[in-house]
Amino acid sequence: MRANTDRGSTPQERRASMRYLWEIAAGAVGFLVTFLFLPEVVPTEPGSAAGVVVALVPLVPVIWIAVALIRHVGRVDELQRGLLLLSLAIGFGAAMLISLVVVFLSTAAIVVDQPEWWVFIGGMAVWGVSIGVLSFRANR
C-alpha cells in the first residue's frame, strides 16, 4: 500500500511531506492542549489581562501551523503546490458557504450556537478532505 502512495515521488519529496506532517501534527497537538487544558490549569478572571493572554495563547500553535504550511509550499514541486492551492481554495469556499448558511439561518430567526466554530471546523475539514482527494486523483 505504501508503494502506491510514494509512486512518482522522490526521497526528497517524501522527506518534505513527512516533515510537514510532523510540523502540522505538533501544531495541532499544541493547539488542542493550549485550547482545552490551559484555561483549566491557569484559571483567570473573565476579561482580565491574564484572561486575554490565556485566551490568545492557542494562537501560537496556529501560527506555527501557518508557517509550516508556507514552508511546505516552498518545498514542494509545481504539481503539489497547485494541489495545495486548489485545496485551500476549496476549503475557503466551504468556509464562506458555511458562513452564509449561518447568516441566512439567523435571518430566519434560527440561532446557530457558536457559528465561528462551524465556519472554522467546516473550512478546515473540507480543506483536509479535498487535499486528500486531489492528491489521490493526481497519483492515479
Side-chain angles (χ1 to χ4, degrees):
M1 176 93 161
R2 180 141 172 94
N4 288 342
T5 60
D6 291 343
R7 181 180 51 204
S9 62
T10 66
Q12 180 181 6
E13 291 169 335
R14 287 191 294 274
R15 280 193 306 275
S17 293
M18 286 306 296
R19 186 178 314 127
Y20 171 67
L21 288 174
W22 278 106
E23 290 174 353
I24 293 293
V29 168
F31 171 75
L32 289 173
V33 167
T34 56
F35 178 73
L36 296 174
F37 300 117
L38 187 62
E40 300 296 323
V41 174
V42 183
T44 59
E45 298 273 337
S48 68
V52 171
V53 170
V54 167
L56 294 178
V57 165
L59 286 177
V60 173
V62 172
I63 292 168
W64 170 273
I65 291 170
V67 169
L69 176 62
I70 292 166
R71 288 177 42 177
H72 183 64
V73 168
R75 288 190 296 247
V76 297
D77 64 15
E78 295 81 14
L79 173 64
Q80 288 299 315
R81 192 171 295 131
L83 295 175
L84 277 167
L85 179 61
L86 182 55
S87 67
L88 285 166
I90 292 168
F92 177 79
M96 295 303 95
L97 182 62
I98 294 165
S99 67
L100 285 174
V101 168
V102 169
V103 168
F104 295 152
L105 288 175
S106 71
T107 62
I110 298 172
V111 177
V112 177
D113 195 34
Q114 297 182 327
E116 62 279 3
W117 284 110
W118 287 99
V119 172
F120 176 75
I121 293 169
M124 292 295 285
V126 170
W127 171 40
V129 169
S130 66
I131 189 63
V133 169
L134 291 170
S135 294
F136 175 77
R137 289 179 62 195
N139 287 328
R140 286 193 306 166

